[in-house]
Amino acid sequence: MIGVIDTDGQRAEWAFPAEPGSVRTARHAVRGTLHAWGLDSVGDVTVLLVSELVTNSLRYASGPIGVRLVRLDPADGHTPAHAPGHPADGPALLVEISDPLPDPPRERVARPDEEGGRGLHLVAASSRRWGTRHGKTGKTVWFELALPGE
């Protein structure tokens, strides 16, 4: 792990080198943060989707991979202006994976005998919403998970 970029009660952000061990390190960092925030109920799905997206970035990118978690709670005023969610949607966890490649990922249907190609399908099926956006130095793939019981 390159290191924690920024953390506070509602946000955590890391940058990882584009190397295979970063997937495991990202999973560990995300799970630990979710546990600290009392969000173990979304831990497994979040870690699975982060693994898929960080692996996709590793497959194609050679620069650092950013992982960012933001707890969105419109009732408490903790929804950043740039967050894709809407206040009426209720509390959510926003997860962003960034890399230096400008090309957005493409969702496809994997054949039963293929080992890969299911990551974006998992993201689409498991999240409340997801998407991509271009930045100055690459792209960000984001997804949002509803926070149950809040």
Side-chain angles (χ1 to χ4, degrees):
M1 176 166 70
I2 292 173
V4 175
I5 295 171
D6 190 12
T7 59
D8 65 27
Q10 302 298 314
R11 178 180 53 176
E13 185 172 349
W14 304 268
F16 301 97
E19 55 189 44
S22 292
V23 176
R24 184 174 61 107
T25 307
R27 283 193 307 256
H28 181 73
V30 166
R31 188 172 298 280
T33 299
L34 293 177
H35 179 73
W37 290 353
L39 297 179
D40 292 317
S41 64
V42 295
D44 289 341
V45 69
T46 304
V47 167
L48 171 67
L49 300 181
V50 166
S51 283
E52 291 293 332
L53 293 176
V54 170
T55 298
N56 282 352
S57 289
L58 280 174
R59 189 168 286 144
Y60 303 106
S62 60
I65 298 165
V67 176
R68 182 171 184 248
L69 305 177
V70 181
R71 188 173 183 169
L72 306 173
D73 191 349
D76 293 340
H78 288 111
T79 302
H82 63 279
H86 303 287
D89 294 334
L93 179 68
L94 171 65
V95 180
E96 300 173 324
I97 310 297
S98 302
D99 66 48
L101 289 176
D103 301 325
R106 289 176 284 143
E107 187 176 358
R108 66 181 185 88
V109 177
R111 294 189 310 265
D113 60 337
E114 289 183 287
E115 289 187 27
R118 292 173 184 81
L120 287 179
H121 179 72
L122 283 171
V123 170
S126 302
S127 61
R128 178 162 73 179
R129 73 176 116 251
W130 76 280
T132 61
R133 69 175 183 272
H134 293 283
K136 294 178 184 176
T137 59
K139 69 169 173 311
T140 298
V141 179
W142 60 269
F143 63 89
E144 212 177 87
L145 299 173
L147 295 178
E150 292 194 23

